[in-house]
Amino acid sequence: ESGWHGAFGWRAFASFGNPTALASWLAIALTFLFFSRFQTPLPDYSARMRRLLNCALFFAACGVLASGTRAAWMALVIVALLQLRRKKWVLIVGLTALVPIALAILSLRVESVQARFELAGAALSSAKITRVDALGRGDPYPAVRFWLGTGPDLQVVVLEQNLPNRVPGEMPDRAHQMLLDGYLSIGLLGVSSWLWLMTAVWLGCGPANKGVIYALIAGLITWQFGFALSAEKALCALLLGSMYVSQTYPLAAPPQKNSVWINVVAGLLAAFSI
C-alpha cells in the first residue's frame, strides 16, 4: 500500500502507517533472513524451506526498495560491506565510496534533510509542556518528564511548541532520530534501559549468532535517521531475542535456567525500554 494521505506518493508503507517505520523493520528482518539462508549451518534445511526463505528475501528486499527510505538502503549497504571485513582493502574502498554515494542519495530530497535538522533542534529545545487529562486537570508531576518522558509515541507534545510555524495537519509527530525520540517519549530512564538491553545483546552474541549482531547494526543505523514505533520496538526485541536463542543454543542443549532476580531485572528493563 502506498500514498498515505498523499504525503508519501509512491512510497510503500504497508500496515506500519509510515514508509520509514516499514523500512527499518524490514532492514532488521532482511538481514537475519540472509544469515538464515546463506550462513547458518543447518544441513537439514529442506528444499521447501530454502524456497520459502528465497521468497521472503525477495519480497523483503522489494519492500525496502519500495519504501524509498534512504537510511535503510545505506544500512544494508554498510552491513554488506562489514561482511567483507577480512578483505580490508575492499572494506576501506567500499566505505570511502559510500560517503559520496550517501551524499548523492540524500540530495534526492533536500527538504527532507532540512526537516530533520529542524526536528532535531526542536527536540533539543526546552519547552514548557502544558498537558491536561480528559477532565481538564494539569500534569501534577511535570518534573518527572525528564526521567519518564511524555509517554510512548507522544513526542508531538514537545514538537508542537518548538515548531509553531507548521501548516495545520502537517505537524510531525517524531524527531526522526532514535535517541531524541526515546528521550521525548520514554525519558532518560527509558533510553538508558534500552541502550543497556542493546549492549547486553551485543556483548552476549558470539560467532554462533552473527545474524543478531548484523540485524542490530542495520536497525541502529536506520533509526539514526528515522524512528521506531512502540509496537515496532517490541517486535524488534522479540525478534532479536528469538534470533539470539535460536542461534546460540541447539535443540539438544537448552539454555540453563537463570535466577529469579535476573528475570525480574530483565522484565523491568524491557518495560522501561518499550
Side-chain angles (χ1 to χ4, degrees):
E1 187 175 3
S2 65
W4 181 71
H5 298 302
F8 298 125
W10 58 269
R11 297 174 65 186
F13 59 85
S15 58
F16 284 90
N18 190 293
T20 302
L22 169 67
S24 58
W25 168 250
L26 285 179
I28 295 171
L30 182 62
T31 303
F32 184 66
L33 283 170
F34 176 83
F35 275 88
S36 298
R37 173 63 180 88
F38 295 106
Q39 297 197 15
T40 301
L42 294 177
D44 57 341
Y45 263 4
S46 64
R48 178 177 296 178
M49 177 61 72
R50 287 195 295 269
R51 287 194 293 268
L52 287 173
L53 286 173
N54 290 339
C55 289
L57 278 167
F58 174 77
F59 286 114
C62 289
V64 174
L65 182 63
S67 72
T69 303
R70 298 159 294 173
W73 299 347
M74 289 187 287
L76 292 174
V77 171
I78 292 174
V79 167
L81 288 173
L82 290 177
Q83 285 291 292
L84 304 173
R85 64 187 184 281
R86 293 181 180 177
K87 299 180 179 180
K88 294 184 178 180
W89 68 271
V90 177
L91 178 61
I92 294 174
V93 172
L95 292 177
T96 304
L98 186 63
V99 175
I101 294 174
L103 293 175
I105 293 176
L106 292 175
S107 66
L108 294 177
R109 294 196 304 272
V110 179
E111 68 283 354
S112 175
V113 178
Q114 181 180 356
R116 277 167 169 75
F117 278 106
E118 294 177 359
L119 290 170
L124 292 172
S125 300
S126 60
K128 184 178 180 180
I129 304 172
T130 303
R131 302 187 65 190
V132 296
D133 59 16
L135 300 178
R137 296 174 299 195
D139 188 350
Y141 307 108
V144 303
R145 298 302 165 195
F146 172 79
W147 299 101
L148 301 180
T150 59
D153 300 332
L154 289 177
Q155 299 93 316
V156 67
V157 178
V158 177
L159 298 177
E160 280 181 341
Q161 296 192 25
N162 292 326
L163 292 172
N165 297 323
R166 291 284 175 173
V167 177
E170 293 186 0
M171 176 59 65
D173 58 352
R174 298 290 190 282
H176 284 256
Q177 205 283 329
M178 179 186 67
L179 296 178
L180 292 178
D181 276 321
Y183 166 70
L184 294 178
S185 62
I186 56 179
L188 187 61
L189 284 177
V191 173
S192 301
S193 299
W194 197 88
L195 292 176
W196 190 355
L197 284 174
M198 294 302 101
T199 303
V201 171
W202 186 285
L203 296 177
C205 289
N209 40 39
K210 292 188 298 183
V212 183
I213 288 292
Y214 285 105
L216 182 58
I217 291 174
L220 291 176
I221 294 175
T222 304
W223 289 335
Q224 299 312 306
F225 307 94
F227 61 86
L229 302 172
S230 292
E232 184 187 353
K233 285 185 285 187
L235 286 173
C236 176
L238 290 173
L239 177 62
L240 289 173
S242 63
M243 288 191 298
Y244 177 80
V245 172
S246 65
Q247 292 191 346
T248 304
Y249 303 104
L251 295 178
Q256 297 179 354
K257 292 183 178 180
N258 293 323
S259 61
V260 175
W261 72 270
I262 292 180
N263 293 325
V264 171
V265 172
L268 290 174
L269 289 174
F272 272 121
S273 67
I274 294 175

